[in-house]
Amino acid sequence: MKELDEKDVIYVANLGKLNLDSADINKYKYQLKQILNEIEKIKNLDIQYEEIMFSPSLNKNVFSNLKDEVFDTKKIISNAKNKTENYIEVRWEKND
Amino acid sequence: MTNYLELPLLEINKKLKNKEIKVIDLVNECFYKIEKNKDLNCFITLNKEEAIKQALYLDNKEVDNILFGIPISIKDNIVTKDLKTTCASLMLKDFIPTYDATVITKIKEKNMVIIGKTNMDEFAMGSSNETSYFGSVLNPFDKTKVPGGSSGGSAVSVSSKIVPFSLGSDTGGSIRQPSAFNNLVGMKPTYGRISRYGLVSFASSLDQIGVISRNVYENALLLNVLVGNDENDLTSSNKEVIDFTRLINKDFENKKIAIPSFYVNEAIDKKILDKFYEIIEFLKSKGFIVEFVDIEYIENSVSLYQIIALAEASSNLARYDGIRYGYQTNKETKDLDDFYKTNRQEAFGDEVKRRIMIGSYVLSSENVDVYYYKALNIRKKITENFEKTLKEYDFIIGPTTTTFPYNLGEKQDDAIKSFFDDLLTIPINMAGLPSLNLPIGHFIGMQIISSKFNEDKIYQLAHFIESNRGGINE
C-alpha cells in the first residue's frame, strides 16, 4: 500500500486532536505512510529481550518504590470522612 | 564597527578587565552585526533594550569571571522570564514566560548578556530550520543552503560572528548537525548533565540542552557553568561537577578508539568519509589504536526515534489546546473538542502535525506493544551495546552528517528526510551519551562520543585534534 485510506488519516488526526481539511488529508495519506513504512521495520526484528528503557537517566525512581505502600486506594478511602463507593466526597464551592 | 567579538574569549576577558573595552561595546557590536545580517533570519526576538541596560550596569561592576559581559544567544525553546519564547510556532507566537529556565538563571548569575532568542525548527522538529513559522534561516557560508536544525538559528548566530556562544537543544542531533553545517563546535552533554527545567519539552527522554561555540576550549568553559543537579528536574544528575577543561593539553591515559562500522556506511557522502579517514590516519600517527566494531541495532535508530520521540512528542504537545495560553482561533466552533482541534489545526505546522499523528498512533491500543514497547526493548539493547563498547574503548568516533548542507526547499515535501539527516546522531540520544561535533572540514563534522559523564575526556580529544590540525575557525 502506497497511501493510507482517508478514514485512517482522519482516525489518527482525531487521536492527535487535530482537525484536517481535505487538502491536508490528501497530503497526509502519502506522508504518514512514508513514516509508517519506516516504523514497520522494527516489527521484523527478532529480539528476545525482556528489558525496556524509558529514560537514560541513572537517577533512582523513588516514586515507583512508593507506589505499593502509599497509594493503597482502599486505605485512603477508609480514611475519608465522607465517601461514595470508591470516591472521596468533598464540598463543592461555587464562586459567582 | 569594532570586531572585538572575533577575539578569543580570554583576550576579550583581559580587555574587559583592563577597561580597554566595555560590555556596551560588545553589545553594540552584536546589534550592529544582527542588523547587517538581517537576511540570515537567525533571530526571532531581540532583547535589545534589556541587553543595553544590563551592559551599562555591568560596566560599573568588577569583572569577576571569564564569561562576564559576554553576549550569548538562546534557542527559542528555552524559557526566558519576560522575554518571548515562541518555539518558532504560531501556537506560542506571543507567549511570554513567567520564569527563567535553570540554564538561564545560571548564565545570568555569571553576568552573561542575552542578546536574543534564535530561530529554530518548530518545536525543535526538523533538521533544516525550514519548519519555523518565522521562515527559514540561511546558511551564512552559502545563502542558498540550509543551516541545519533544529538549532539552526543558534548555530548561524555563532557562525556569522554575531555572538561567541549559543545555547541549543539536541533531541536527535539538533546541536551537532547544525554545528557541522556551520563549522562549529557543538556539545550534546550526557542526558541529565544539564537541567531541562524550562526547556520546552519535545521528547523528554531524549531532549538535552547544550553549547554551540567557535572552538573546543570555549565550549568547555560555558559547559562548566550550566551543569549540576536541579531539584526542578528529577532526571538531572547528582554527579560531581567538574572543570571540563581539566584534561585539555594533558597526556592521554588510554588511546583506544572504536568506529562503529555503521558510521562508514554507503549512505555517507564520499567527501565526508575521505575527510574522516584523514582524521583516522592522523590519530593512528599519534599512537591511537583505532578499530572498527559492530554495535548491534544502531542501524534501527531512525525507526526507534520515530516511535519513541514521536510518542513522547504527541503526549508533550497535548497541552497546547489554546485554553490556558497559546493560539486561539477566530472561527466559530461546534463544541470544546472542535475548539481544541481547530486551534491545533491552525497553529501547528505540517511537520509538527505529522509527528503528533504518528505519535498518537503508536501509543493507541495494541500498537503500544507492537511498536512502543518493542522500541523500548531495542533502545535498552542499543544502550547496553554502546556501554559494552565503551568499556573496551575510550572513545567512539564517526562523521556527524551523511551529507553536506542541501538547497533550501529541496527536501521540504519529504516526510522522512529530516529523520535521515540525523541518521548518525540519533543513536547517541537513544543511549543518553555525551557527544561533540568537531569541525574537520568545510561543512564537515565528526562526532566524538564517550561514556556517560566523560565530557572532559571528549574535550581532551577534540582539543587535541583541533590544535594539532588547526581549528577551522582559527
Side-chain angles (χ1 to χ4, degrees):
Chain A
M1 183 173 48
K2 279 187 179 170
E3 288 185 347
L4 289 187
D5 290 340
E6 185 172 327
K7 68 170 178 34
D8 292 332
V9 176
I10 294 169
Y11 170 73
V12 290
N14 198 40
L15 288 174
K17 292 266 179 227
L18 290 161
N19 278 342
L20 298 181
D21 57 31
S22 54
D24 283 338
I25 292 168
N26 276 331
K27 185 170 58 189
Y28 293 134
K29 272 185 197 171
Y30 173 71
Q31 293 181 343
L32 294 182
K33 186 64 190 162
Q34 259 188 306
I35 302 173
L36 288 173
N37 284 343
E38 285 304 315
I39 288 175
E40 291 288 315
K41 287 177 185 168
I42 79 153
K43 270 184 167 175
N44 304 327
L45 288 177
D46 181 24
I47 177 165
Q48 305 296 325
Y49 199 67
E50 291 303 313
E51 281 190 70
I52 57 169
M53 185 171 114
F54 284 107
S55 162
S57 174
L58 300 176
N59 294 358
K60 199 175 160 194
N61 185 349
V62 289
F63 295 110
S64 67
N65 297 336
L66 291 174
K67 201 176 159 190
D68 293 337
E69 52 186 278
V70 176
F71 301 111
D72 180 337
T73 318
K74 274 187 191 163
K75 205 170 156 190
I76 292 169
I77 299 286
S78 68
N79 284 328
K81 196 174 167 189
N82 302 308
K83 54 197 169 231
T84 304
E85 294 172 358
N86 269 342
Y87 296 96
I88 300 170
E89 282 181 21
V90 291
R91 203 174 69 184
W92 182 47
E93 288 191 20
K94 190 182 172 195
N95 294 324
D96 289 319
Chain B
M1 180 40 67
T2 57
N3 272 323
Y4 297 127
L5 287 167
E6 292 178 31
L7 296 171
L9 191 67
L10 291 173
E11 217 169 303
I12 300 175
N13 183 254
K14 201 171 143 194
K15 284 188 185 298
L16 284 171
K17 271 186 177 165
N18 296 339
K19 308 275 179 208
E20 283 173 59
I21 56 170
K22 292 177 170 180
V23 178
I24 191 70
D25 298 329
L26 302 178
V27 169
N28 284 337
E29 189 179 318
C30 283
F31 287 108
Y32 171 79
K33 286 178 174 173
I34 289 171
E35 192 54 37
K36 214 176 116 195
N37 292 292
K38 228 174 171 176
D39 59 333
L40 297 177
N41 197 26
C42 59
F43 283 91
I44 291 174
T45 306
L46 296 179
N47 190 33
K48 193 169 181 180
E49 209 177 300
E50 270 306 308
I52 291 172
K53 210 165 104 186
Q54 190 191 356
L56 294 172
Y57 167 75
L58 291 177
D59 281 331
N60 293 315
K61 285 192 76 176
E62 202 183 324
V63 178
D64 62 355
N65 75 84
I66 185 78
L67 297 169
F68 183 98
I70 302 298
I72 184 169
S73 65
I74 309 291
K75 188 175 180 180
D76 210 18
N77 61 349
I78 299 173
V79 300
T80 40
K81 187 172 186 242
D82 300 330
L83 182 62
K84 259 199 287 188
T85 300
T86 69
C87 286
S89 179
L90 173 60
M91 182 58 88
L92 294 176
K93 189 169 84 71
D94 301 311
F95 175 62
I96 301 175
T98 54
Y99 69 99
D100 276 329
T102 299
V103 287
I104 300 298
T105 306
K106 284 174 182 272
I107 62 168
K108 282 183 177 173
E109 279 166 6
K110 293 291 172 191
N111 286 316
M112 295 187 84
V113 182
I114 295 171
I115 293 300
K117 304 297 290 291
T118 55
N119 205 343
M120 53 182 277
D121 281 297
E122 186 180 9
F123 283 100
M125 297 180 187
S127 57
S128 63
N129 224 126
E130 292 169 292
T131 72
S132 167
Y133 171 71
F134 299 94
S136 300
V137 176
L138 312 186
N139 193 314
F141 298 102
D142 180 346
K143 291 178 184 173
T144 64
K145 307 284 184 198
V146 298
S150 63
S151 310
S154 282
V156 170
S157 70
V158 180
S159 64
S160 59
K161 301 185 165 121
I162 293 169
V163 284
F165 290 112
S166 191
L167 292 190
S169 68
D170 191 313
T171 304
S174 287
I175 286 175
R176 290 160 287 161
Q177 187 252 23
S179 295
F181 281 5
N182 283 274
N183 306 330
L184 297 170
V185 175
M187 168 61 102
K188 182 210 90 72
T190 309
Y191 184 84
R193 190 52 121 167
I194 296 179
S195 168
R196 288 181 297 111
Y197 179 66
L199 171 67
V200 178
S201 301
F202 159 17
S204 310
S205 78
L206 301 161
D207 296 340
Q208 190 53 226
I209 293 173
V211 179
I212 297 175
S213 69
R214 308 172 292 187
N215 60 50
V216 175
Y217 178 69
E218 292 177 3
N219 199 292
L221 284 177
L222 182 54
L223 189 68
N224 274 347
V225 311
L226 301 176
V227 298
N229 183 243
D230 178 12
E231 61 179 19
N232 289 319
D233 175 5
L234 292 176
T235 62
S236 85
S237 165
N238 290 310
K239 206 83 177 167
E240 179 202 4
V241 174
I242 52 167
D243 173 8
F244 293 107
T245 65
R246 68 182 183 175
L247 297 178
I248 287 177
N249 287 327
K250 296 269 171 22
D251 289 337
F252 289 88
E253 267 183 40
N254 299 298
K255 289 179 150 186
K256 279 190 84 180
I257 296 176
I259 302 170
S261 42
F262 181 68
Y263 276 1
V264 290
N265 71 58
E266 69 283 356
I268 303 166
D269 190 292
K270 192 182 170 300
K271 284 181 190 157
I272 293 175
L273 280 180
D274 287 346
K275 203 72 184 168
F276 180 60
Y277 286 128
E278 270 181 37
I279 298 290
I280 297 173
E281 289 312 311
F282 162 75
L283 289 168
K284 283 181 177 171
S285 75
K286 297 289 176 187
F288 285 86
I289 298 161
V290 185
E291 289 172 344
F292 283 90
V293 295
D294 282 320
I295 296 182
E296 205 184 2
Y297 298 117
I298 61 169
E299 67 277 14
N300 303 108
S301 293
V302 167
S303 304
L304 293 201
Y305 184 82
Q306 287 169 329
I307 295 167
I308 295 168
L310 274 45
E312 292 184 23
S314 70
S315 169
N316 277 324
L317 270 66
R319 75 191 68 174
Y320 302 108
D321 52 19
I323 299 290
R324 288 146 298 178
Y325 58 92
Y327 176 88
Q328 284 191 348
T329 183
N330 290 323
K331 270 188 199 161
E332 235 178 74
T333 50
K334 286 180 289 188
D335 51 30
L336 193 59
D337 200 47
D338 189 34
F339 180 65
Y340 295 152
K341 288 177 176 173
T342 307
N343 289 335
R344 289 161 68 82
Q345 176 196 16
E346 292 178 4
F348 286 140
D350 275 352
E351 182 77 34
V352 174
K353 283 187 226 173
R354 276 197 297 265
R355 293 189 184 207
I356 288 173
M357 286 190 277
I358 295 290
S360 306
Y361 174 74
V362 297
L363 288 180
S364 63
S365 55
E366 71 270 17
N367 289 340
V368 174
D369 286 326
V370 176
Y371 299 109
Y372 186 62
Y373 281 111
K374 185 155 187 186
L376 295 179
N377 274 152
I378 301 167
R379 182 181 189 179
K380 176 78 179 167
K381 200 70 195 159
I382 288 179
T383 304
E384 286 179 356
N385 292 341
F386 267 115
E387 283 166 358
K388 215 166 91 189
T389 305
L390 284 165
K391 268 190 186 150
E392 205 182 322
Y393 297 88
D394 305 284
F395 303 99
I396 293 172
I397 60 170
T400 303
T401 63
T402 55
T403 66
F404 288 91
Y406 41 87
N407 291 332
L408 286 155
E410 186 183 315
K411 300 186 186 177
Q412 228 166 354
D413 293 326
D414 187 339
I416 54 171
K417 64 93 193 159
S418 68
F419 301 108
F420 281 94
D421 282 348
D422 291 336
L423 184 72
L424 307 174
T425 48
I426 284 172
I428 309 309
N429 298 72
M430 286 294 155
L433 297 170
S435 173
L436 175 140
N437 173 72
L438 180 70
I440 54 171
H442 189 48
F443 292 147
I444 304 174
M446 73 177 274
Q447 290 189 86
I448 303 175
I449 301 144
S450 192
S451 302
K452 282 181 180 170
F453 303 104
N454 276 350
E455 287 87 353
D456 53 344
K457 283 175 70 179
I458 292 177
Y459 285 126
Q460 182 187 22
L461 181 61
H463 188 265
F464 178 78
I465 299 170
E466 182 186 57
S467 53
N468 278 281
R469 289 181 51 87
I472 194 164
N473 290 309
E474 281 167 13

mmCIF file of all heavy atoms in Angstrom, chain B residues 301-332:
data_model
loop_
_atom_site.group_PDB
_atom_site.id
_atom_site.type_symbol
_atom_site.label_atom_id
_atom_site.label_comp_id
_atom_site.label_asym_id
_atom_site.label_seq_id
_atom_site.Cartn_x
_atom_site.Cartn_y
_atom_site.Cartn_z
ATOM 1 N N SER B 301 18.070 2.850 14.535
ATOM 2 C CA SER B 301 17.809 4.010 15.385
ATOM 3 C C SER B 301 16.767 4.977 14.827
ATOM 4 O O SER B 301 16.015 5.583 15.589
ATOM 5 C CB SER B 301 19.106 4.772 15.650
ATOM 6 O OG SER B 301 19.963 3.978 16.423
ATOM 7 N N VAL B 302 16.718 5.130 13.503
ATOM 8 C CA VAL B 302 15.731 6.064 12.941
ATOM 9 C C VAL B 302 14.311 5.572 13.242
ATOM 10 O O VAL B 302 13.448 6.346 13.669
ATOM 11 C CB VAL B 302 15.953 6.271 11.421
ATOM 12 C CG1 VAL B 302 14.763 6.975 10.777
ATOM 13 C CG2 VAL B 302 17.214 7.104 11.184
ATOM 14 N N SER B 303 14.079 4.263 13.044
ATOM 15 C CA SER B 303 12.742 3.723 13.353
ATOM 16 C C SER B 303 12.418 3.904 14.838
ATOM 17 O O SER B 303 11.301 4.281 15.200
ATOM 18 C CB SER B 303 12.652 2.233 13.011
ATOM 19 O OG SER B 303 12.986 2.032 11.673
ATOM 20 N N LEU B 304 13.411 3.646 15.679
ATOM 21 C CA LEU B 304 13.191 3.803 17.126
ATOM 22 C C LEU B 304 12.838 5.247 17.460
ATOM 23 O O LEU B 304 11.945 5.523 18.254
ATOM 24 C CB LEU B 304 14.461 3.459 17.920
ATOM 25 C CG LEU B 304 14.976 2.050 17.957
ATOM 26 C CD1 LEU B 304 15.884 1.867 19.158
ATOM 27 C CD2 LEU B 304 13.854 1.046 18.026
ATOM 28 N N TYR B 305 13.588 6.155 16.834
ATOM 29 C CA TYR B 305 13.358 7.577 17.080
ATOM 30 C C TYR B 305 11.943 7.959 16.667
ATOM 31 O O TYR B 305 11.246 8.694 17.373
ATOM 32 C CB TYR B 305 14.381 8.391 16.285
ATOM 33 C CG TYR B 305 14.314 9.881 16.514
ATOM 34 C CD1 TYR B 305 14.934 10.461 17.612
ATOM 35 C CD2 TYR B 305 13.630 10.708 15.621
ATOM 36 C CE1 TYR B 305 14.886 11.832 17.816
ATOM 37 C CE2 TYR B 305 13.581 12.084 15.818
ATOM 38 C CZ TYR B 305 14.213 12.636 16.916
ATOM 39 O OH TYR B 305 14.154 13.995 17.113
ATOM 40 N N GLN B 306 11.527 7.460 15.495
ATOM 41 C CA GLN B 306 10.187 7.808 15.017
ATOM 42 C C GLN B 306 9.112 7.299 15.976
ATOM 43 O O GLN B 306 8.060 7.900 16.111
ATOM 44 C CB GLN B 306 9.968 7.231 13.616
ATOM 45 C CG GLN B 306 10.755 7.996 12.564
ATOM 46 C CD GLN B 306 10.770 7.314 11.223
ATOM 47 O OE1 GLN B 306 10.720 6.079 11.161
ATOM 48 N NE2 GLN B 306 10.850 8.075 10.158
ATOM 49 N N ILE B 307 9.388 6.221 16.646
ATOM 50 C CA ILE B 307 8.400 5.686 17.589
ATOM 51 C C ILE B 307 8.512 6.416 18.935
ATOM 52 O O ILE B 307 7.543 6.992 19.435
ATOM 53 C CB ILE B 307 8.601 4.168 17.771
ATOM 54 C CG1 ILE B 307 8.317 3.446 16.453
ATOM 55 C CG2 ILE B 307 7.706 3.638 18.886
ATOM 56 C CD1 ILE B 307 8.775 1.998 16.404
ATOM 57 N N ILE B 308 9.702 6.398 19.522
ATOM 58 C CA ILE B 308 9.859 6.917 20.889
ATOM 59 C C ILE B 308 9.700 8.444 20.935
ATOM 60 O O ILE B 308 8.931 8.979 21.737
ATOM 61 C CB ILE B 308 11.224 6.483 21.473
ATOM 62 C CG1 ILE B 308 11.256 4.955 21.612
ATOM 63 C CG2 ILE B 308 11.475 7.155 22.818
ATOM 64 C CD1 ILE B 308 12.636 4.372 21.905
ATOM 65 N N ALA B 309 10.432 9.135 20.065
ATOM 66 C CA ALA B 309 10.378 10.603 20.108
ATOM 67 C C ALA B 309 8.980 11.107 19.766
ATOM 68 O O ALA B 309 8.476 12.037 20.397
ATOM 69 C CB ALA B 309 11.403 11.189 19.131
ATOM 70 N N LEU B 310 8.353 10.471 18.787
ATOM 71 C CA LEU B 310 7.044 10.974 18.359
ATOM 72 C C LEU B 310 5.950 10.612 19.367
ATOM 73 O O LEU B 310 5.002 11.377 19.566
ATOM 74 C CB LEU B 310 6.714 10.459 16.952
ATOM 75 C CG LEU B 310 7.272 11.314 15.806
ATOM 76 C CD1 LEU B 310 8.705 11.746 15.997
ATOM 77 C CD2 LEU B 310 7.085 10.656 14.475
ATOM 78 N N ALA B 311 6.103 9.463 20.021
ATOM 79 C CA ALA B 311 5.150 9.107 21.084
ATOM 80 C C ALA B 311 5.239 10.144 22.203
ATOM 81 O O ALA B 311 4.218 10.670 22.679
ATOM 82 C CB ALA B 311 5.477 7.711 21.620
ATOM 83 N N GLU B 312 6.462 10.457 22.612
ATOM 84 C CA GLU B 312 6.630 11.436 23.695
ATOM 85 C C GLU B 312 6.159 12.822 23.248
ATOM 86 O O GLU B 312 5.563 13.572 24.026
ATOM 87 C CB GLU B 312 8.103 11.481 24.129
ATOM 88 C CG GLU B 312 8.543 10.196 24.817
ATOM 89 C CD GLU B 312 9.973 10.255 25.343
ATOM 90 O OE1 GLU B 312 10.491 11.349 25.584
ATOM 91 O OE2 GLU B 312 10.584 9.173 25.514
ATOM 92 N N ALA B 313 6.427 13.149 21.980
ATOM 93 C CA ALA B 313 6.019 14.464 21.473
ATOM 94 C C ALA B 313 4.497 14.597 21.474
ATOM 95 O O ALA B 313 3.959 15.642 21.848
ATOM 96 C CB ALA B 313 6.559 14.670 20.061
ATOM 97 N N SER B 314 3.802 13.524 21.059
ATOM 98 C CA SER B 314 2.339 13.628 20.987
ATOM 99 C C SER B 314 1.761 13.867 22.374
ATOM 100 O O SER B 314 0.784 14.588 22.551
ATOM 101 C CB SER B 314 1.736 12.371 20.355
ATOM 102 O OG SER B 314 1.870 11.267 21.226
ATOM 103 N N SER B 315 2.413 13.290 23.374
ATOM 104 C CA SER B 315 1.954 13.487 24.758
ATOM 105 C C SER B 315 2.337 14.893 25.243
ATOM 106 O O SER B 315 1.515 15.617 25.804
ATOM 107 C CB SER B 315 2.594 12.396 25.629
ATOM 108 O OG SER B 315 2.394 12.679 26.968
ATOM 109 N N ASN B 316 3.579 15.298 25.012
ATOM 110 C CA ASN B 316 4.032 16.621 25.477
ATOM 111 C C ASN B 316 3.271 17.768 24.815
ATOM 112 O O ASN B 316 3.033 18.799 25.435
ATOM 113 C CB ASN B 316 5.529 16.791 25.196
ATOM 114 C CG ASN B 316 6.388 16.159 26.274
ATOM 115 O OD1 ASN B 316 6.048 16.173 27.448
ATOM 116 N ND2 ASN B 316 7.525 15.602 25.886
ATOM 117 N N LEU B 317 2.914 17.576 23.540
ATOM 118 C CA LEU B 317 2.251 18.678 22.834
ATOM 119 C C LEU B 317 0.731 18.676 23.017
ATOM 120 O O LEU B 317 0.048 19.561 22.502
ATOM 121 C CB LEU B 317 2.619 18.676 21.343
ATOM 122 C CG LEU B 317 3.868 19.508 21.011
ATOM 123 C CD1 LEU B 317 5.132 18.917 21.610
ATOM 124 C CD2 LEU B 317 4.034 19.703 19.517
ATOM 125 N N ALA B 318 0.241 17.700 23.780
ATOM 126 C CA ALA B 318 -1.204 17.655 24.038
ATOM 127 C C ALA B 318 -1.646 18.859 24.867
ATOM 128 O O ALA B 318 -2.817 19.229 24.870
ATOM 129 C CB ALA B 318 -1.561 16.352 24.758
ATOM 130 N N ARG B 319 -0.687 19.479 25.565
ATOM 131 C CA ARG B 319 -1.047 20.621 26.433
ATOM 132 C C ARG B 319 -1.441 21.863 25.629
ATOM 133 O O ARG B 319 -2.052 22.780 26.149
ATOM 134 C CB ARG B 319 0.118 20.948 27.371
ATOM 135 C CG ARG B 319 1.267 21.650 26.698
ATOM 136 C CD ARG B 319 2.500 21.723 27.558
ATOM 137 N NE ARG B 319 3.079 20.392 27.751
ATOM 138 C CZ ARG B 319 4.236 20.168 28.372
ATOM 139 N NH1 ARG B 319 4.903 21.166 28.892
ATOM 140 N NH2 ARG B 319 4.716 18.941 28.509
ATOM 141 N N TYR B 320 -1.083 21.898 24.351
ATOM 142 C CA TYR B 320 -1.372 23.100 23.561
ATOM 143 C C TYR B 320 -2.773 22.988 22.964
ATOM 144 O O TYR B 320 -2.961 22.422 21.899
ATOM 145 C CB TYR B 320 -0.316 23.290 22.458
ATOM 146 C CG TYR B 320 1.071 23.393 23.036
ATOM 147 C CD1 TYR B 320 1.999 22.357 22.899
ATOM 148 C CD2 TYR B 320 1.439 24.506 23.791
ATOM 149 C CE1 TYR B 320 3.251 22.438 23.477
ATOM 150 C CE2 TYR B 320 2.700 24.593 24.373
ATOM 151 C CZ TYR B 320 3.594 23.552 24.211
ATOM 152 O OH TYR B 320 4.837 23.626 24.794
ATOM 153 N N ASP B 321 -3.740 23.493 23.736
ATOM 154 C CA ASP B 321 -5.130 23.403 23.301
ATOM 155 C C ASP B 321 -5.754 24.789 23.107
ATOM 156 O O ASP B 321 -6.900 24.912 22.726
ATOM 157 C CB ASP B 321 -5.948 22.578 24.309
ATOM 158 C CG ASP B 321 -5.783 23.077 25.734
ATOM 159 O OD1 ASP B 321 -5.356 24.241 25.914
ATOM 160 O OD2 ASP B 321 -6.061 22.310 26.671
ATOM 161 N N GLY B 322 -4.978 25.837 23.426
ATOM 162 C CA GLY B 322 -5.493 27.203 23.241
ATOM 163 C C GLY B 322 -6.396 27.666 24.373
ATOM 164 O O GLY B 322 -6.992 28.737 24.285
ATOM 165 N N ILE B 323 -6.527 26.871 25.411
ATOM 166 C CA ILE B 323 -7.420 27.261 26.516
ATOM 167 C C ILE B 323 -6.701 28.181 27.505
ATOM 168 O O ILE B 323 -7.105 29.310 27.742
ATOM 169 C CB ILE B 323 -7.943 26.023 27.275
ATOM 170 C CG1 ILE B 323 -8.746 25.130 26.333
ATOM 171 C CG2 ILE B 323 -8.778 26.430 28.493
ATOM 172 C CD1 ILE B 323 -10.070 25.693 25.896
ATOM 173 N N ARG B 324 -5.592 27.674 28.057
ATOM 174 C CA ARG B 324 -4.903 28.464 29.099
ATOM 175 C C ARG B 324 -3.936 29.472 28.511
ATOM 176 O O ARG B 324 -3.746 30.548 29.031
ATOM 177 C CB ARG B 324 -4.167 27.519 30.057
ATOM 178 C CG ARG B 324 -5.110 26.758 30.960
ATOM 179 C CD ARG B 324 -4.588 25.394 31.251
ATOM 180 N NE ARG B 324 -4.464 24.597 30.026
ATOM 181 C CZ ARG B 324 -4.004 23.383 29.996
ATOM 182 N NH1 ARG B 324 -3.595 22.806 31.086
ATOM 183 N NH2 ARG B 324 -3.937 22.709 28.858
ATOM 184 N N TYR B 325 -3.288 29.110 27.449
ATOM 185 C CA TYR B 325 -2.381 30.032 26.758
ATOM 186 C C TYR B 325 -2.209 29.539 25.339
ATOM 187 O O TYR B 325 -2.646 28.434 25.004
ATOM 188 C CB TYR B 325 -1.025 30.140 27.477
ATOM 189 C CG TYR B 325 -0.285 28.830 27.634
ATOM 190 C CD1 TYR B 325 0.630 28.426 26.672
ATOM 191 C CD2 TYR B 325 -0.524 27.988 28.723
ATOM 192 C CE1 TYR B 325 1.299 27.222 26.801
ATOM 193 C CE2 TYR B 325 0.139 26.787 28.854
ATOM 194 C CZ TYR B 325 1.043 26.403 27.904
ATOM 195 O OH TYR B 325 1.703 25.207 28.022
ATOM 196 N N GLY B 326 -1.567 30.347 24.540
ATOM 197 C CA GLY B 326 -1.335 29.932 23.157
ATOM 198 C C GLY B 326 -2.424 30.404 22.211
ATOM 199 O O GLY B 326 -3.368 31.095 22.596
ATOM 200 N N TYR B 327 -2.273 29.986 20.964
ATOM 201 C CA TYR B 327 -3.132 30.452 19.876
ATOM 202 C C TYR B 327 -4.595 30.056 20.084
ATOM 203 O O TYR B 327 -4.900 28.955 20.522
ATOM 204 C CB TYR B 327 -2.612 29.840 18.573
ATOM 205 C CG TYR B 327 -3.448 30.139 17.364
ATOM 206 C CD1 TYR B 327 -3.230 31.275 16.616
ATOM 207 C CD2 TYR B 327 -4.458 29.256 16.976
ATOM 208 C CE1 TYR B 327 -4.009 31.549 15.495
ATOM 209 C CE2 TYR B 327 -5.234 29.518 15.864
ATOM 210 C CZ TYR B 327 -5.005 30.662 15.126
ATOM 211 O OH TYR B 327 -5.773 30.916 14.027
ATOM 212 N N GLN B 328 -5.490 31.005 19.752
ATOM 213 C CA GLN B 328 -6.926 30.702 19.740
ATOM 214 C C GLN B 328 -7.514 31.105 18.399
ATOM 215 O O GLN B 328 -7.231 32.196 17.902
ATOM 216 C CB GLN B 328 -7.652 31.481 20.841
ATOM 217 C CG GLN B 328 -7.446 30.903 22.234
ATOM 218 C CD GLN B 328 -8.375 31.522 23.262
ATOM 219 O OE1 GLN B 328 -9.014 32.530 22.993
ATOM 220 N NE2 GLN B 328 -8.435 30.912 24.428
ATOM 221 N N THR B 329 -8.329 30.242 17.862
ATOM 222 C CA THR B 329 -8.948 30.515 16.561
ATOM 223 C C THR B 329 -10.020 31.608 16.657
ATOM 224 O O THR B 329 -10.625 31.789 17.723
ATOM 225 C CB THR B 329 -9.576 29.230 15.980
ATOM 226 O OG1 THR B 329 -10.092 29.512 14.693
ATOM 227 C CG2 THR B 329 -10.669 28.670 16.870
ATOM 228 N N ASN B 330 -10.252 32.284 15.555
ATOM 229 C CA ASN B 330 -11.372 33.244 15.488
ATOM 230 C C ASN B 330 -12.617 32.587 14.908
ATOM 231 O O ASN B 330 -13.689 33.173 14.908
ATOM 232 C CB ASN B 330 -10.992 34.425 14.585
ATOM 233 C CG ASN B 330 -9.930 35.277 15.237
ATOM 234 O OD1 ASN B 330 -9.954 35.470 16.454
ATOM 235 N ND2 ASN B 330 -8.997 35.772 14.447
ATOM 236 N N LYS B 331 -12.421 31.361 14.385
ATOM 237 C CA LYS B 331 -13.543 30.654 13.747
ATOM 238 C C LYS B 331 -14.580 30.247 14.794
ATOM 239 O O LYS B 331 -14.221 29.976 15.948
ATOM 240 C CB LYS B 331 -13.026 29.371 13.090
ATOM 241 C CG LYS B 331 -12.583 29.541 11.678
ATOM 242 C CD LYS B 331 -12.287 28.152 11.115
ATOM 243 C CE LYS B 331 -11.424 28.237 9.887
ATOM 244 N NZ LYS B 331 -10.766 26.962 9.607
ATOM 245 N N GLU B 332 -15.828 30.129 14.347
ATOM 246 C CA GLU B 332 -16.834 29.593 15.256
ATOM 247 C C GLU B 332 -16.671 28.075 15.307
ATOM 248 O O GLU B 332 -16.486 27.445 14.264
ATOM 249 C CB GLU B 332 -18.224 29.929 14.724
ATOM 250 C CG GLU B 332 -19.034 30.661 15.762
ATOM 251 C CD GLU B 332 -20.369 31.044 15.249
ATOM 252 O OE1 GLU B 332 -21.211 30.129 15.133
ATOM 253 O OE2 GLU B 332 -20.557 32.240 14.956
#
